[in-house]
Amino acid sequence: MGIKLSLSTTLDEANTEKTIIDLSNLPYIAFLKKLSLSNNATSLAKVQVKFYNGDSAKVVLTVKVAAGESILVPEENLPSEAAPTKITLISDQVPVEVEVSVELE
Amino acid sequence: MDSPIYRHKFEPTLLPGHYVKIQDKYYRVVDLRPGFTCEVKLTNLLAPVEFSTKDTKVAIGSKGELLQLRMKIFGPVSIEARFEGAGGDVFGSYGGKIYYIDERVPENMLEYWVFEDQFGWLYLKIIPIVTPAWCKIRWLGFVYYVEEVEKVPEKYFVPPYIGVKRVSR
């Protein structure tokens, strides 16, 4: 059983990409357990979840949220692999409110 | 020889007052403590990496300490694990045993014994399955404080790999 963390943040004009958790200097890996998005922008938002492995990043999930809508990504659609270094979120529309839960192993 | 892949619940094999044979010498267990969990994470692995617990001073004992360790591997890697039986010049020379592990292994898959920082340490070759790969290794275990005895006890435990002194060839 790992350490569970719940975090919330907002992607806005100043931060269209945000780091959810940075494990660079910690011996943990992170599993994404919950992702909830609320699109407060006026058009469809495409939100991407990126997992970093050292300096290399890959998009592990892309979620589209209609304007004014909220979405809770089903757990079975979340990536089952772990993020070894960092998790970031990036959106092409802002503001988007984000709630995430991660489990650290 | 027993396989280091465990099949039983992780409990101390020895208790204070028990005897153990290490490198053909006999020791009495004086005390027993749970060890700290030890973790190492390697990221952005593009090619095989070598990792020695002795060189990195990870999961090795201090003077008079006998460690009973279990380890778990996380990550998209395969690992060649070699236990250094009795020191010597050659890495992993003990019987040339190599065990392959991947992320499907259950918690704390390998169990092995380390005496001080001299015997039983582990040499790992971490091979990426995908690139870039990452790898996390977790150790947990028990620490036995032992003292050498002169008289050969009637009954004693022989830990795998480090119990008998290896003869150089």
Side-chain angles (χ1 to χ4, degrees):
Chain A
M1 182 66 75
I3 303 161
K4 287 182 179 167
L5 292 175
S6 293
L7 311 151
S8 59
T9 187
T10 303
L11 301 171
D12 52 30
E13 282 187 19
N15 297 291
T16 54
E17 179 165 6
K18 262 197 176 174
T19 300
I20 297 299
I21 193 157
D22 188 344
L23 304 164
S24 308
N25 298 314
L26 297 170
Y28 296 115
I29 52 175
F31 292 90
L32 190 58
K33 292 292 181 190
K34 181 189 158 192
L35 175 63
S36 171
L37 301 165
S38 296
N39 181 7
N40 297 331
T42 51
S43 53
L44 180 81
K46 188 171 89 174
V47 181
Q48 292 183 318
V49 181
K50 271 191 199 172
F51 281 9
Y52 278 77
N53 180 355
D55 293 332
S56 31
K58 67 173 175 182
V59 175
V60 292
L61 183 66
T62 302
V63 184
K64 288 180 180 169
V65 191
E69 294 288 314
S70 295
I71 188 169
L72 173 64
V73 180
E75 199 172 339
E76 61 267 24
N77 292 352
L78 295 174
S80 59
E81 64 183 292
T85 304
K86 198 164 75 170
I87 299 176
T88 67
L89 287 176
I90 185 166
S91 176
D92 61 351
Q93 299 293 329
V94 288
V96 173
E97 288 176 27
V98 179
E99 280 183 36
V100 293
S101 290
V102 291
E103 191 168 316
L104 307 184
E105 269 271 10
Chain B
M1 180 188 299
D2 289 342
S3 163
I5 296 173
Y6 79 99
R7 291 181 180 82
H8 53 88
K9 193 177 165 189
F10 197 23
E11 289 174 341
T13 301
L14 301 170
L15 292 171
H18 286 183
Y19 291 91
V20 60
K21 179 180 178 182
I22 306 164
Q23 296 295 298
D24 292 340
K25 292 178 180 172
Y26 299 92
Y27 297 82
R28 189 171 68 87
V29 177
V30 178
D31 200 359
L32 157 68
R33 303 276 171 84
F36 279 113
T37 302
C38 174
E39 297 183 303
V40 167
K41 185 174 75 175
L42 305 169
T43 57
N44 213 16
L45 303 176
L46 301 170
V49 175
E50 293 179 354
F51 184 91
S52 159
T53 58
K54 189 177 185 185
D55 291 347
T56 53
K57 308 285 183 198
V58 168
I60 56 169
S62 299
K63 187 150 181 60
E65 289 179 357
L66 174 66
L67 311 183
Q68 182 183 6
L69 298 173
R70 281 188 176 180
M71 59 179 267
K72 183 184 180 182
I73 308 293
F74 300 81
V77 293
S78 80
I79 289 196
E80 293 177 4
R82 302 178 186 187
F83 300 93
E84 175 53 42
D89 304 331
V90 184
F91 267 127
S93 53
Y94 193 99
K97 287 271 187 186
I98 300 174
Y99 298 92
Y100 289 88
I101 317 163
D102 65 25
E103 60 185 338
R104 292 166 300 178
V105 298
E107 185 92 31
N108 312 313
M109 186 68 182
L110 289 184
E111 182 173 331
Y112 66 105
W113 294 74
V114 181
F115 182 59
E116 299 180 343
D117 60 353
Q118 297 301 313
F119 305 104
W121 45 273
L122 195 62
Y123 162 75
L124 300 173
K125 188 174 181 184
I126 302 165
I127 305 162
I129 293 172
V130 298
T131 52
W134 56 273
C135 174
K136 187 185 153 179
I137 308 165
R138 177 194 287 156
W139 287 267
L140 55 88
F142 300 102
V143 182
Y144 304 97
Y145 296 90
V146 295
E147 61 182 19
E148 192 175 349
V149 292
E150 293 296 324
K151 196 179 161 192
V152 178
E154 284 182 10
K155 203 167 100 176
Y156 52 86
F157 174 71
V158 183
Y161 307 109
I162 64 169
V164 181
K165 204 167 188 173
R166 181 170 59 88
V167 179
S168 297
R169 291 176 190 164

